[in-house]
Amino acid sequence: MRIVAALLALALPLTAAPAVPAAEAPAIALSSVVPAPLEVRQQGATFRLTDRTVIEAPRSARNVANRLAEALRPATGYRLPVVERARTNKISLRTDESPGYRLTVTKSAITIGARDNAGLFDGVQTLRQLLPPAIDAATPQRAAWVVAGGEIADRPRYAYRGAMLDLARHFHTPDEVKRYIDEISRFKINYLHLHLSDDQGWRVQIDSWPRLTAVGGAPGTGVDGTGGGFLTKADYRDLVRYAADRYVTIIPEIDMPGHVNAAQVAYPELTCDGVAPPPRTDTAVGYSSLCIGQETTYRFVEDVIRELAALTPGPYLHIGGDEAHATTEADYLAFQQRVLPLVAKYGKTPYGWNEIDQAPAAKDAVLQYWNQKPTFTPVHASKVVLSPANRAYLDMKYDPSTRLGLNWAGYIEVRTAYDWDPTTYVPERAVLGVEAPLWSETLRDLDDIEFMAFPRLAAIAEIGWSPRKDWESFRTRIHAYYPRWENRGVNFYRSPQVG
Ligand code: ACM
């Protein structure tokens, strides 16, 4: 497809001039953004980005201005200097009292106002979608860089809009994680949950237990014996910084008391009999458990939580807790009653899969609902992130012909990922937000990640951001987004439902 388009473009000057000269192409409608903005009023003259346009921002918003300049310079070829004051022909970022952000387009200026830099960054993501898709090309393009006049007043429905990436079943490199952050942040996703340990591997350096990564992150520690590797603390800090520069908060997850085979291979004292189990590269679940009655277990858990909390500027630390089928119910409860308070001891809000709600200590925790039942009544916790597996799991196949992915929660075409609402599961007051998990049993590289994530991630992002949903509108808007992914080389799935 891409080659044909390129040939056509080359052929064009030899045949006829385009019917509409590029400079007169209509501006993109302000209502075409994904996720859908709250209030849109299109009116007045368009703004035209030129080689004299400047980006105006106070010193405090310099990071957002730099992100904007980075996004617009390659395809325009313009300098787009970032300045503290300018009179006209400017994109102006300013701190004001707008909840969310407010984007105003007139002939002489585009103004984005917000209370904080995260809001300004959201406004910048909206602006990027209002420029022609050629803006996402990596090299200078000939295009009319116009933005329709009017105003968008926008704010998120939920504070938490997450994505999860599983680094344990197959490791993904820091560069791959950064590329994923680049793409998800465009849809105003603001949390990235990293699943850092499982039966097959351990993917983050822990100084007090070095064999976790020396053994659990060695080559071959992944499904089918492929996909080893781990993040050093320097890698991890760099990722946290990269994400924060894009207003994404990283949430680390260490899964326990189940999903711990890799840790037990590295440290046999984490089993009850002191014997190391064999390494596992298959995809079975539910067979491993920490030894609940043993003090070594809690020394290990506290060391890991302490070191991870020190790497984590964000509020949440995820302790897994799912599928602990090899732990008795009483042991599970005893474990969570000790471990949930440890997360708080190191200054973080405990976060776990919905199973942790069995423990009274989960009352101050955030639950991540991953089951498929259409309603859920938390017993102890009061805040829930919705990730129902049959809607939000990006690793489920789209349909039976999808090469990658699994199907234990069914097939999830784009419309299935879009057509649900958090409040049918739990009451609105209990919803912290939504998250789209991507498990990596079948995924090796960034192409695989992108194919499963897009366009479904955008559907989940819209559920988290926009109070009104409309499939037909989403279908049209996400279809119009396709050239942006093409221009960035993103390997998205071309759903027959989207057209
Ligand atoms: C899960 O999918 N086991 C949380």
Side-chain angles (χ1 to χ4, degrees):
M1 285 292 281
R2 224 170 293 168
I3 292 168
V4 173
L7 287 175
L8 278 175
L10 281 174
L12 216 46
L14 299 176
T15 54
V20 182
E24 316 238 327
I28 290 171
L30 296 185
S31 57
S32 60
V33 174
V34 181
L38 190 62
E39 290 170 31
V40 175
R41 202 152 14 95
Q42 189 157 333
Q43 61 182 21
T46 57
F47 175 86
R48 181 176 300 266
L49 195 72
T50 71
D51 59 359
R52 307 289 299 275
T53 303
V54 301
I55 297 174
E56 178 187 58
R59 205 175 280 275
S60 62
R62 174 70 52 143
N63 177 59
V64 186
N66 288 341
R67 296 283 87 78
L68 174 61
E70 256 169 38
L72 305 186
R73 281 175 186 148
T76 60
Y78 301 157
R79 277 180 55 239
L80 301 171
V82 176
V83 300
E84 281 187 47
R85 219 167 282 297
R87 282 187 50 235
T88 188
N89 194 356
K90 61 184 179 179
I91 303 173
S92 181
L93 307 180
R94 59 175 64 159
T95 309
D96 63 20
E97 286 310 303
S98 307
Y101 69 90
R102 182 178 297 268
L103 184 149
T104 311
V105 183
T106 66
K107 192 167 168 20
S108 58
I110 295 177
T111 306
I112 302 174
R115 280 185 190 152
D116 56 21
N117 283 349
L120 289 174
F121 185 79
D122 287 333
V124 163
Q125 302 320 307
T126 291
L127 173 58
R128 294 174 72 182
Q129 290 190 40
L130 297 175
L131 285 157
I135 199 67
D136 282 308
T139 54
Q141 306 291 306
R142 281 175 55 85
W145 305 116
V146 293
V147 180
E151 186 164 275
I152 293 178
D154 196 13
R155 60 177 181 273
R157 179 179 182 188
Y158 297 120
Y160 185 108
R161 302 167 311 275
M164 187 209 86
L165 195 54
D166 170 13
L167 270 55
R169 271 51 173 274
H170 285 110
F171 182 62
H172 304 297
T173 65
D175 274 351
E176 290 174 325
V177 178
K178 287 178 182 177
R179 295 291 80 77
Y180 197 50
I181 290 169
D182 290 345
E183 298 307 323
I184 65 177
S185 62
R186 298 200 57 173
F187 297 107
K188 305 185 174 79
I189 294 289
N190 61 351
Y191 284 92
L192 177 63
H193 161 188
L194 296 178
H195 183 76
L196 293 167
S197 70
D198 215 300
D199 289 317
Q200 298 85 351
W202 187 285
R203 308 300 181 201
V204 63
Q205 178 186 346
I206 300 294
D207 294 329
S208 52
W209 297 73
R211 287 173 56 80
L212 290 171
T213 46
V215 175
T221 54
V223 170
D224 297 333
T226 64
F230 66 91
L231 301 172
T232 65
K233 284 196 168 174
D235 292 334
Y236 196 89
R237 287 193 189 95
D238 180 55
L239 270 184
V240 166
R241 214 170 15 244
Y242 186 90
D245 279 347
R246 287 147 188 85
Y247 305 93
V248 172
T249 300
I250 295 209
I251 299 172
E253 178 194 351
I254 294 300
D255 205 347
M256 48 197 177
H259 293 274
V260 292
N261 194 72
Q264 293 176 322
V265 172
Y267 289 102
E269 59 266 47
L270 296 177
T271 66
C272 283
D273 61 9
V275 178
R280 295 285 290 256
T281 58
D282 59 290
T283 60
V285 295
Y287 55 82
S288 62
S289 177
L290 289 172
C291 189
I292 304 305
Q294 194 162 272
E295 279 313 300
T296 312
T297 296
Y298 301 96
R299 190 163 56 75
F300 165 75
V301 169
E302 183 159 355
D303 285 343
V304 169
I305 288 174
R306 185 185 65 249
E307 291 196 35
L308 276 181
L311 287 172
T312 301
Y316 304 115
L317 197 150
H318 201 303
I319 55 163
D322 59 319
E323 297 176 313
H325 306 317
T327 314
T328 67
E329 217 167 286
D331 276 357
Y332 186 87
L333 209 57
F335 178 82
Q336 294 299 1
Q337 286 296 97
R338 269 189 83 165
V339 169
L340 286 163
L342 283 179
V343 178
K345 174 175 171 184
Y346 291 98
K348 301 298 167 188
T349 299
Y351 187 13
W353 300 104
N354 53 256
E355 286 95 326
I356 68 165
D357 191 46
Q358 295 162 40
K363 82 174 165 42
D364 300 318
V366 173
L367 301 183
Q368 184 167 14
Y369 183 72
W370 68 279
N371 293 162
Q372 301 175 49
K373 290 199 202 85
T375 59
F376 174 59
T377 308
V379 175
H380 295 110
S382 58
K383 283 292 174 195
V384 181
V385 168
L386 276 299
S387 301
N390 55 341
R391 298 289 192 169
Y393 269 33
L394 302 178
D395 59 310
M396 291 302 115
K397 291 174 182 288
Y398 291 95
D399 68 28
S401 73
T402 311
R403 179 178 64 85
L404 300 166
L406 307 174
N407 64 0
W408 58 262
Y411 298 104
I412 306 184
E413 248 296 356
V414 179
R415 186 164 188 172
T416 306
Y418 186 79
D419 266 344
W420 63 279
D421 195 83
T423 57
T424 63
Y425 291 86
V426 296
E428 180 79 3
R429 65 180 142 58
V431 181
L432 181 64
V434 295
E435 181 175 301
L438 183 48
W439 301 96
S440 290
E441 284 95 331
T442 67
L443 312 184
R444 304 294 162 95
D445 57 21
L446 189 61
D447 272 357
D448 292 350
I449 290 171
E450 290 171 349
F451 187 80
M452 300 308 277
F454 304 115
R456 290 183 295 195
L457 185 281
I460 305 300
E462 180 146 311
I463 292 171
W465 183 276
S466 311
R468 287 183 300 275
K469 291 200 316 292
D470 175 334
W471 163 252
E472 196 48 39
S473 161
F474 178 76
R475 191 192 68 70
T476 309
R477 286 178 287 116
I478 205 63
H479 189 258
Y481 196 93
Y482 278 13
R484 298 180 193 275
W485 280 324
E486 285 166 356
N487 287 337
R488 291 170 65 79
V490 172
N491 182 40
F492 66 101
Y493 166 65
R494 287 169 172 80
S495 166
Q497 293 186 333
V498 172

